[in-house]
Amino acid sequence: MLVVEDEESIADVLAIALRYHRFEVMTAGTVREALILAERTLPHARTGSLGGTPIDAALLDVMLPDGDGRALGRELRARHPDLALVFLTARDAPAEIVGALGYGDDYITKPFDVDVVVARLTAVLRRTRPTDVLPQRPPLRYGDLELDETTYSVRRAGRTVELTPTEYALLRFLVRNGGRIVPKEQLLRHVWQYEHTPPESTVVETYISYLRRKLDALGPPVITTRRGVGYGLA
């Protein structure tokens, strides 16, 4: 996986999340750096020579200091036609989205949820590459809950639970913390990437109620509340 993003903090967050999901990640901040990495790792279309581990996908910022990420994507595709391309940009006009999709496989606007980026990259790879390139992770389990981190699916007592990406991210964080009560501020920081908690925010309470409604329909209440502190799993 090649991540090309000139904002170092964003590149670091993406790399950490992708490595957690067992992707091998290389990062670059410019078109020039990306092409140097591609020269070492992508097979040449004419010779087939390869300098390193092949890249299966590239996550490219559209606006880079020394060029256009879409043109970079076109150059990378010329060298490796099977490369999966996903673009990141702050531009969300329909014409921009249509234009970017003409160069690649998906288009994600900033600001974004890291879990959504990982899910959409995985979906693109599932469509464009053999299944053996997808990193496999064992399911997360807690009681009768089972979360598949490859397909982003959830089951309770063997029955599928349909969750939105944010609901999934919230439940996954609670599962990873087992029976521990997780403070609201920590949930806001890890699930919603809030650096500073808005004092009037009720987003956690809202999504906890969504999860309860879906999970409690399939069994006993599983989410507990510690008033004034946070939430956990029973």
XYZ file of all heavy atoms in Angstrom, residues 1-5 9-21 23 25 27 57-61 84-90 105-127 134-135 149-152 164-166 168-169 172 190-191 193:
562
model
N 0.850 -1.184 0.000
C 0.000 0.000 0.000
C 0.894 1.245 0.000
O 1.797 1.366 0.823
C -0.882 0.008 1.249
C -1.688 1.278 1.441
S -3.063 1.394 0.299
C -4.039 -0.004 0.840
N 0.646 2.145 -0.948
C 1.374 3.405 -1.025
C 0.428 4.536 -0.639
O -0.635 4.695 -1.242
C 1.899 3.633 -2.445
C 2.566 4.982 -2.721
C 3.804 5.173 -1.857
C 2.914 5.113 -4.206
N 0.801 5.323 0.378
C 0.031 6.479 0.810
C 0.805 7.734 0.431
O 1.958 7.909 0.855
C -0.223 6.465 2.334
C -0.930 7.747 2.779
C -1.041 5.244 2.734
N 0.191 8.591 -0.384
C 0.846 9.838 -0.808
C 0.016 11.000 -0.289
O -1.071 11.277 -0.788
C 0.995 9.904 -2.341
C 1.808 11.136 -2.733
C 1.645 8.638 -2.879
N 0.521 11.660 0.745
C -0.188 12.740 1.434
C 0.851 13.698 1.994
O 1.769 13.283 2.706
C -1.053 12.153 2.557
C -1.589 13.136 3.557
C -2.495 14.193 2.948
O -3.542 13.830 2.396
O -2.130 15.391 3.038
N 0.739 14.754 9.498
C -0.124 14.210 10.546
C -1.184 13.274 9.953
O -1.490 12.225 10.520
C -0.799 15.343 11.317
O -1.593 16.147 10.455
N -1.745 13.654 8.786
C -2.747 12.808 8.134
C -2.103 11.522 7.630
O -2.646 10.428 7.793
C -3.429 13.567 6.986
C -4.228 14.753 7.525
C -4.338 12.633 6.180
C -4.895 15.592 6.451
N -0.919 11.652 7.018
C -0.211 10.467 6.517
C 0.089 9.496 7.652
O -0.055 8.275 7.495
C 1.075 10.884 5.817
N 0.485 10.030 8.813
C 0.808 9.177 9.958
C -0.431 8.428 10.454
O -0.370 7.234 10.750
C 1.405 10.004 11.095
C 2.825 10.459 10.814
O 3.444 9.904 9.882
O 3.307 11.373 11.515
N -1.559 9.140 10.560
C -2.802 8.505 11.026
C -3.222 7.391 10.070
O -3.590 6.282 10.491
C -3.924 9.556 11.163
C -5.286 8.878 11.335
C -3.650 10.469 12.353
N -3.153 7.661 8.770
C -3.524 6.658 7.776
C -2.603 5.448 7.837
O -3.049 4.298 7.797
C -3.503 7.272 6.378
C -4.602 8.283 6.063
C -4.301 9.006 4.761
C -5.964 7.593 5.977
N -1.299 5.703 7.937
C -0.331 4.603 7.977
C -0.541 3.733 9.210
O -0.508 2.493 9.126
C 1.093 5.154 7.946
N -0.775 4.360 10.363
C -0.986 3.603 11.606
C -2.228 2.726 11.480
O -2.223 1.541 11.833
C -1.104 4.562 12.803
C 0.258 5.197 13.108
C -1.631 3.822 14.040
C 0.192 6.347 14.088
N -3.321 3.315 10.963
C -4.571 2.557 10.832
C -4.421 1.401 9.854
O -4.878 0.279 10.114
C -5.702 3.484 10.385
N -3.770 1.649 8.739
C -3.609 0.600 7.734
C -2.688 -0.506 8.225
O -2.942 -1.696 7.973
C -3.074 1.206 6.432
C -4.079 2.076 5.672
C -3.373 2.916 4.611
C -5.159 1.216 5.028
N -1.622 -0.139 8.928
C -0.726 -1.169 9.467
C -1.432 -1.989 10.536
O -1.191 -3.191 10.654
C 0.531 -0.514 10.033
C 1.483 -0.028 8.944
C 2.681 0.706 9.490
N 3.521 1.195 8.408
C 4.057 2.415 8.349
N 3.830 3.281 9.344
N 4.792 2.773 7.326
N -2.297 -1.340 11.299
C -3.062 -2.083 12.296
C -3.901 -3.161 11.615
O -4.106 -4.247 12.168
C -3.966 -1.134 13.091
C -4.778 -1.840 14.143
C -4.236 -2.108 15.392
C -6.073 -2.279 13.877
C -4.973 -2.781 16.352
C -6.809 -2.954 14.827
C -6.259 -3.197 16.068
O -6.980 -3.879 17.011
N -4.377 -2.858 10.416
C -5.182 -3.825 9.665
C -4.312 -4.728 8.794
O -4.802 -5.357 7.861
C -6.220 -3.093 8.819
C -7.336 -2.514 9.636
N -8.463 -3.232 9.959
C -7.484 -1.295 10.226
C -9.264 -2.480 10.701
N -8.696 -1.309 10.875
N -1.925 -4.120 6.601
C -1.401 -3.698 5.315
C 0.068 -3.321 5.491
O 0.454 -2.752 6.520
C -2.153 -2.463 4.791
C -3.537 -2.744 4.277
C -4.649 -2.567 5.090
C -3.732 -3.168 2.977
C -5.926 -2.812 4.624
C -5.012 -3.417 2.492
C -6.112 -3.239 3.316
N 2.684 -0.702 4.491
C 2.468 0.683 4.063
C 3.789 1.400 3.825
O 4.724 1.302 4.630
C 1.645 1.464 5.119
C 1.391 2.891 4.640
C 0.335 0.755 5.415
N 4.954 5.497 2.702
C 4.385 6.841 2.589
C 5.314 7.759 1.804
O 6.531 7.600 1.807
C 4.121 7.466 3.976
O 5.354 7.574 4.695
C 3.141 6.618 4.776
N -2.142 -1.262 -3.979
C -3.068 -0.131 -3.970
C -2.320 1.140 -3.610
O -1.279 1.096 -2.932
C -4.210 -0.369 -2.982
N -2.860 2.260 -4.056
C -2.297 3.566 -3.715
C -3.419 4.487 -3.260
O -4.480 4.547 -3.891
C -1.568 4.173 -4.911
N -3.174 5.177 -2.156
C -4.095 6.175 -1.611
C -3.447 7.527 -1.838
O -2.423 7.841 -1.224
C -4.309 5.904 -0.120
C -5.313 6.770 0.636
C -6.717 6.613 0.067
C -5.302 6.418 2.114
N -4.013 8.333 -2.739
C -3.342 9.539 -3.228
C -4.122 10.803 -2.912
O -5.309 10.899 -3.252
C -3.151 9.452 -4.749
C -2.537 8.166 -5.319
C -2.509 8.232 -6.836
C -1.135 7.955 -4.767
N -3.440 11.777 -2.315
C -4.022 13.108 -2.166
C -4.043 13.763 -3.547
O -3.077 13.649 -4.308
C -3.176 13.928 -1.192
C -3.830 15.250 -0.829
O -5.014 15.438 -1.162
O -3.161 16.096 -0.214
N -4.794 -0.664 -7.702
C -6.030 -0.043 -7.213
C -5.718 1.382 -6.768
O -4.751 1.610 -6.028
C -6.600 -0.850 -6.053
N -6.523 2.343 -7.200
C -6.285 3.762 -6.897
C -7.473 4.363 -6.154
O -8.615 4.251 -6.606
C -6.064 4.562 -8.182
C -4.783 4.289 -8.971
C -4.785 5.125 -10.241
C -3.545 4.605 -8.130
N -7.195 5.012 -5.016
C -8.218 5.733 -4.256
C -7.672 7.135 -3.992
O -6.526 7.277 -3.546
C -8.547 5.024 -2.928
C -9.542 5.855 -2.120
C -9.110 3.631 -3.190
N -8.478 8.162 -4.266
C -8.049 9.546 -4.108
C -8.632 10.181 -2.848
O -9.773 9.890 -2.470
C -8.452 10.372 -5.329
C -7.741 9.976 -6.584
C -8.367 9.203 -7.548
C -6.424 10.362 -6.809
C -7.719 8.820 -8.702
C -5.755 9.992 -7.960
C -6.398 9.215 -8.910
N -7.836 11.055 -2.233
C -8.261 11.856 -1.087
C -8.226 13.327 -1.488
O -7.245 13.786 -2.081
C -7.315 11.668 0.096
C -7.306 10.323 0.820
C -6.160 10.308 1.823
C -8.628 10.097 1.528
N -9.266 14.075 -1.152
C -9.260 15.500 -1.466
C -10.294 16.239 -0.634
O -11.269 15.646 -0.164
C -9.537 15.745 -2.952
O -9.482 17.144 -3.228
C -10.893 15.212 -3.351
N -10.062 17.532 -0.470
C -11.025 18.386 0.219
C -12.104 18.878 -0.738
O -13.101 19.451 -0.313
C -10.308 19.578 0.847
N -10.392 4.284 -8.714
C -11.464 3.368 -8.324
C -12.398 3.936 -7.260
O -13.515 3.451 -7.108
C -10.854 2.063 -7.796
C -9.965 1.410 -8.838
O -10.486 0.992 -9.878
O -8.740 1.322 -8.603
N -11.954 4.927 -6.500
C -12.814 5.521 -5.473
C -12.271 6.898 -5.129
O -11.127 7.257 -5.482
C -12.868 4.636 -4.222
C -14.147 4.861 -3.402
O -14.899 5.812 -3.702
O -14.388 4.090 -2.459
N -13.077 7.673 -4.397
C -12.802 9.081 -4.122
C -13.354 9.380 -2.738
O -14.535 9.170 -2.479
C -13.518 9.908 -5.191
C -13.333 11.407 -5.140
C -12.414 12.022 -5.970
C -14.118 12.203 -4.304
C -12.266 13.402 -5.975
C -13.978 13.575 -4.292
C -13.043 14.180 -5.134
O -12.908 15.525 -5.126
N -12.498 9.834 -1.817
C -12.906 10.094 -0.436
C -12.611 11.557 -0.106
O -11.497 12.033 -0.320
C -12.157 9.168 0.550
C -12.441 7.701 0.207
C -12.559 9.464 1.992
C -11.601 6.713 0.989
N -13.624 12.259 0.421
C -13.435 13.673 0.735
C -12.977 13.867 2.175
O -13.295 13.073 3.056
C -14.736 14.456 0.507
O -15.783 13.878 1.300
C -15.140 14.419 -0.963
N -12.202 14.923 2.377
C -11.746 15.322 3.706
C -12.757 16.299 4.305
O -13.349 17.088 3.566
C -10.377 16.001 3.626
C -9.273 15.124 3.044
C -7.977 15.933 2.960
C -6.850 15.119 2.353
N -5.603 15.894 2.237
N -12.940 16.282 5.647
C -12.358 15.336 6.612
C -13.014 13.971 6.495
O -14.153 13.860 6.046
C -12.680 15.994 7.960
C -13.918 16.777 7.718
C -13.822 17.279 6.297
N -12.282 12.930 6.880
C -12.786 11.581 6.726
C -12.625 10.801 8.021
O -11.844 11.169 8.907
C -12.048 10.852 5.600
C -10.544 10.914 5.735
C -9.871 10.115 6.644
C -9.805 11.795 4.948
C -8.499 10.176 6.776
C -8.426 11.870 5.079
C -7.776 11.058 5.999
N -13.377 9.720 8.129
C -13.235 8.777 9.225
C -12.233 7.716 8.767
O -12.404 7.115 7.707
C -14.590 8.138 9.538
C -14.539 7.207 10.733
O -13.803 6.201 10.653
O -15.246 7.446 11.720
N -11.176 7.483 9.548
C -10.126 6.553 9.156
C -10.695 5.161 8.902
O -10.280 4.460 7.967
C -9.016 6.503 10.222
C -8.002 5.409 9.900
C -8.302 7.846 10.309
N -11.654 4.729 9.723
C -12.237 3.410 9.537
C -12.969 3.307 8.202
O -12.983 2.245 7.575
C -13.198 3.081 10.683
C -12.459 2.806 11.976
O -11.443 2.101 11.931
O -12.891 3.294 13.032
N -13.573 4.408 7.771
C -14.253 4.409 6.476
C -13.224 4.284 5.354
O -13.443 3.561 4.371
C -15.101 5.687 6.308
C -15.649 5.788 4.882
C -16.245 5.699 7.312
N -12.089 4.973 5.482
C -11.030 4.867 4.475
C -10.566 3.418 4.352
O -10.443 2.875 3.248
C -9.838 5.786 4.827
C -8.682 5.547 3.850
C -10.251 7.252 4.786
N -10.304 2.774 5.492
C -9.847 1.375 5.471
C -10.907 0.477 4.843
O -10.599 -0.391 4.018
C -9.509 0.892 6.898
C -9.168 -0.596 6.891
C -8.342 1.696 7.481
N -12.174 0.701 5.207
C -13.254 -0.128 4.671
C -13.378 0.040 3.158
O -13.564 -0.946 2.423
C -14.577 0.224 5.358
N -13.260 1.266 2.678
C -13.430 1.490 1.240
C -12.214 0.995 0.455
O -12.357 0.476 -0.664
C -13.727 2.968 0.983
C -15.142 3.304 1.429
C -15.471 4.765 1.399
N -15.565 5.319 0.073
C -16.065 6.527 -0.187
N -16.534 7.259 0.804
N -16.106 6.985 -1.415
N -11.025 1.109 1.027
C -9.849 0.520 0.387
C -9.989 -0.992 0.269
O -9.679 -1.592 -0.759
C -8.598 0.860 1.197
C -7.901 2.173 0.878
C -6.848 2.477 1.934
C -7.256 2.115 -0.501
N -10.469 -1.602 1.356
C -10.667 -3.048 1.348
C -11.698 -3.444 0.303
O -11.524 -4.436 -0.413
C -11.117 -3.531 2.738
O -10.135 -3.143 3.714
C -11.275 -5.040 2.774
N -12.762 -2.650 0.189
C -13.803 -2.934 -0.806
C -13.243 -2.818 -2.227
O -13.556 -3.643 -3.097
C -14.983 -1.992 -0.613
N -12.421 -1.806 -2.472
C -11.808 -1.642 -3.793
C -10.902 -2.832 -4.111
O -10.944 -3.392 -5.213
C -11.009 -0.322 -3.861
C -10.105 -0.295 -5.085
C -11.958 0.868 -3.900
N -10.087 -3.243 -3.149
C -9.202 -4.389 -3.375
C -9.993 -5.664 -3.617
O -9.597 -6.507 -4.422
C -8.266 -4.566 -2.172
C -7.097 -3.581 -2.108
C -6.401 -3.661 -0.758
C -6.097 -3.860 -3.223
N -11.114 -5.812 -2.928
C -11.924 -7.001 -3.113
C -12.482 -7.047 -4.543
O -12.643 -8.118 -5.127
C -13.069 -7.017 -2.090
C -13.814 -8.347 -2.030
C -14.847 -8.351 -0.931
N -14.218 -8.287 0.379
C -14.332 -7.273 1.229
N -15.061 -6.215 0.906
N -13.726 -7.287 2.387
N -12.775 -5.860 -5.099
C -13.297 -5.814 -6.468
C -12.206 -5.994 -7.515
O -12.449 -6.554 -8.580
C -13.988 -4.464 -6.737
C -15.250 -4.224 -5.961
C -16.050 -3.079 -6.576
N -15.261 -1.868 -6.776
C -15.184 -0.873 -5.904
N -15.845 -0.956 -4.755
N -14.465 0.200 -6.152
N -5.754 -9.395 0.318
C -6.426 -8.738 1.434
C -5.888 -9.268 2.753
O -5.795 -10.480 2.948
C -7.937 -8.973 1.369
C -8.660 -8.284 0.212
C -10.097 -8.753 0.158
C -8.568 -6.793 0.343
N -5.505 -8.348 3.667
C -5.030 -8.805 4.970
C -6.152 -9.478 5.747
O -7.262 -8.967 5.820
C -4.570 -7.510 5.666
C -5.349 -6.430 5.010
C -5.567 -6.877 3.586
N -13.246 -8.118 10.942
C -12.531 -6.902 10.555
C -12.071 -6.922 9.108
O -11.482 -5.950 8.641
C -11.344 -6.681 11.489
C -11.767 -6.395 12.916
C -10.639 -5.836 13.749
O -9.796 -6.636 14.211
O -10.591 -4.603 13.924
N -12.307 -8.006 8.397
C -12.023 -8.043 6.969
C -13.222 -7.576 6.160
O -13.095 -6.802 5.218
C -11.626 -9.466 6.533
O -10.471 -9.870 7.271
C -11.298 -9.506 5.043
N -14.410 -8.044 6.561
C -15.635 -7.671 5.835
C -16.425 -6.568 6.524
O -17.419 -6.099 5.992
C -16.548 -8.893 5.684
O -16.945 -9.353 6.995
C -15.826 -10.023 4.956
N -15.990 -6.154 7.735
C -16.682 -5.129 8.516
C -18.134 -5.523 8.779
O -19.042 -4.694 8.718
C -16.596 -3.758 7.826
C -15.210 -3.168 7.903
C -14.228 -3.563 7.020
C -14.862 -2.258 8.897
C -12.938 -3.064 7.104
C -13.581 -1.757 8.988
C -12.622 -2.153 8.087
O -11.351 -1.671 8.187
N -23.989 1.034 10.514
C -23.318 2.046 9.708
C -21.831 2.024 10.050
O -21.427 1.445 11.071
C -23.880 3.443 10.006
O -23.532 3.804 11.357
C -25.395 3.473 9.833
N -20.951 2.645 9.224
C -19.522 2.664 9.546
C -19.212 3.243 10.922
O -18.344 2.732 11.653
C -18.924 3.531 8.426
C -19.838 3.305 7.266
C -21.210 3.206 7.880
N -19.924 4.312 11.325
C -19.657 4.911 12.631
C -20.137 4.005 13.756
O -19.453 3.856 14.786
C -20.329 6.295 12.747
O -19.838 7.142 11.705
C -20.010 6.943 14.093
N -20.288 0.800 13.621
C -19.315 -0.298 13.654
C -18.050 0.133 14.405
O -17.525 -0.606 15.247
C -18.957 -0.732 12.234
C -17.901 -1.810 12.197
C -18.248 -3.154 12.231
C -16.553 -1.481 12.136
C -17.283 -4.147 12.215
C -15.579 -2.458 12.123
C -15.947 -3.788 12.162
O -14.967 -4.765 12.157
N -17.536 1.328 14.084
C -16.313 1.808 14.731
C -16.507 1.948 16.241
O -15.610 1.617 17.034
C -15.894 3.147 14.127
N -16.738 -1.601 17.777
C -15.422 -2.240 17.750
C -14.534 -1.710 18.869
O -13.830 -2.474 19.525
C -14.744 -2.011 16.399
C -13.375 -2.692 16.293
C -12.749 -2.508 14.940
N -12.517 -1.118 14.645
C -11.961 -0.684 13.515
N -11.627 -1.546 12.571
N -11.769 0.596 13.310
N -11.184 8.698 19.751
C -10.792 7.553 18.934
C -11.789 7.234 17.827
O -11.387 6.764 16.763
C -10.600 6.322 19.824
C -9.344 6.369 20.635
N -8.133 5.903 20.161
C -9.100 6.848 21.872
C -7.205 6.078 21.081
N -7.765 6.648 22.123
N -13.065 7.464 18.053
C -14.067 7.123 17.044
C -14.358 8.298 16.125
O -14.482 8.134 14.906
C -15.372 6.623 17.710
C -16.432 6.304 16.653
C -15.093 5.388 18.572
N -12.410 11.285 16.194
C -11.188 12.083 16.040
C -11.336 13.518 16.535
O -10.803 14.458 15.951
C -10.715 12.085 14.574
C -10.012 10.811 14.157
C -10.969 9.695 13.812
O -11.867 9.908 12.989
N -10.806 8.540 14.397
